[in-house]
Amino acid sequence: MTVDRVAGWWDVAMRVLVTGATGYVGRVVMAELLAAGHTALPFTGDVRSRDESRDGLAGFGDVDAVVHLAAVARVRESFDDPVRYYDVNVGGTVNLLRSPPPRFVLASTAGVYGSTGVAVVGEDCPRAPVNPYAASKAAAEDVLAWAAATGRVGAVALRLFNVAGGGDRDDTRVITKACGVAAGRVPSMEVFGDGSAVRDFVHVRDVARAFVTAVEHCGEGYAALNVGATPASVADVLEAVERVTGRPVPVVRRAAHPGEVREQRADTTRLRALGWRPVCSDLDALIGDQWAAEKWAAEKSAE
């Protein structure tokens, strides 16, 4: 296991290259790295290009770590263009690993587990992705693990559960869409089945702090770590959105998806053992943060 629990050795500030640095998670990771005293370097090249990735890494001089966030990440879209998903998510990872720095942290997804049949998912659960996006992330994990086995790079894959808050604008995410419905930006909320399916939600700032933790503890070998915080059902989310915003969330009921996972919670024991704790992922606080961003965006567009 690559994570190192010996206090003190990571206290030296590091130069960390961040791909996808301008994205939803990337912007917050950049800020949290800087807050922790590290130098955060945004990679603006195309990770799909072997030459651009190599030259881009070389252009930053010596770096101590890469946080690899650049990816395509829409489940439904991945069914329409699976080749592109493998090209970006696997090919980009391969390119960055051709001449890696000592530490490499990959953004992966809880989707690699698929339908586990267990309510609380630990990192040792078998992976069984059920869509091309998740399958491409599982393949990227495999490449990373094999690269780490050579001894030339220490590696961590963070399996993110349902990231939310922080002004997210992706209405495919439950909390983001529910807040958009409360604001009147989205007409209604589709709920499949009775809304009792439970998922694990985590604030984007807590996710960013997990990346800092992974960079600081990354040692020899490879490890996968879950990042989750607050289990809640769709019904819980809708109730909380109405409570926090004081506005109704109109719902359109749809038939449940066949084979839908009824409950999926993250076992974060390994990540917590490194000192990480979620500090802003309480459901009401998370929704309040997203709602504040929703209102701010509405005010700006009205100016």
Side-chain angles (χ1 to χ4, degrees):
M1 189 174 185
T2 182
V3 287
D4 195 312
R5 301 177 189 177
V6 180
W9 75 270
W10 62 82
D11 291 340
V12 176
M14 288 182 276
R15 289 168 52 83
V16 184
L17 188 67
V18 181
T19 73
T22 61
Y24 168 49
V25 176
R27 292 192 298 270
V28 190
V29 169
M30 292 284 289
E32 290 294 332
L33 283 166
L34 292 170
H38 304 297
T39 299
L41 307 167
F43 176 75
T44 57
D46 185 348
V47 294
R48 293 175 298 178
S49 167
R50 178 173 179 175
D51 291 338
E52 209 168 317
S53 295
R54 182 194 62 218
D55 295 343
L57 285 169
F60 284 99
D62 291 335
V63 296
D64 300 295
V66 166
V67 170
H68 182 30
L69 302 166
V72 283
R74 292 183 180 271
V75 170
R76 292 179 184 175
E77 179 186 76
S78 73
F79 285 102
D80 297 326
D81 199 354
V83 173
R84 175 171 173 258
Y85 272 69
Y86 273 79
D87 182 32
V88 176
N89 296 348
V90 184
T93 304
V94 169
N95 286 339
L96 292 167
L97 284 169
R98 293 183 191 278
S99 299
R103 302 172 181 86
F104 195 109
V105 180
L106 170 71
S108 188
T109 172
V112 300
Y113 294 117
S115 300
T116 62
V118 297
V120 181
V121 181
E123 292 89 349
D124 293 330
C125 284
R127 297 176 310 164
V130 296
N131 58 73
Y133 162 60
S136 71
K137 282 296 189 178
E141 287 186 5
D142 289 342
V143 171
L144 186 58
W146 284 114
T150 69
R152 291 193 291 269
V153 60
V156 176
L158 293 183
R159 293 173 178 166
L160 310 183
F161 281 67
N162 294 272
V163 187
D168 181 30
R169 302 300 289 176
D170 184 350
D171 288 330
T172 65
R173 297 189 177 104
V174 173
I175 289 176
T176 306
K177 187 171 184 178
C179 287
V181 172
R185 182 175 58 80
V186 181
S188 62
M189 186 81 186
E190 285 187 314
V191 174
F192 296 88
D194 61 4
S196 63
V198 172
R199 297 294 181 265
D200 203 306
F201 297 92
V202 57
H203 196 287
V204 66
R205 285 198 296 274
D206 285 330
V207 168
R209 290 174 47 253
F211 277 98
V212 175
T213 298
V215 166
E216 291 177 343
H217 291 77
C218 190
E220 294 181 357
Y222 168 82
L225 300 173
N226 288 337
V227 185
T230 304
S233 69
V234 174
D236 291 335
V237 169
L238 297 181
E239 180 183 345
V241 169
E242 292 188 336
R243 179 173 61 250
V244 169
T245 67
R247 300 188 180 186
V249 179
V251 169
V252 175
R253 299 285 177 181
R254 307 289 189 196
H257 291 302
E260 181 185 26
V261 178
R262 298 302 304 164
E263 185 172 3
Q264 188 179 64
R265 303 168 184 250
D267 181 345
T268 57
T269 302
R270 291 180 182 175
L271 183 57
R272 288 171 182 266
L274 304 179
W276 177 88
R277 297 290 186 278
V279 298
C280 46
S281 293
D282 171 81
L283 187 59
D284 279 18
L286 200 163
I287 288 169
D289 180 71
Q290 180 63 29
W291 177 240
E294 184 78 43
K295 290 193 296 181
W296 180 86
E299 291 167 359
K300 293 294 289 185
S301 64
E303 291 179 355

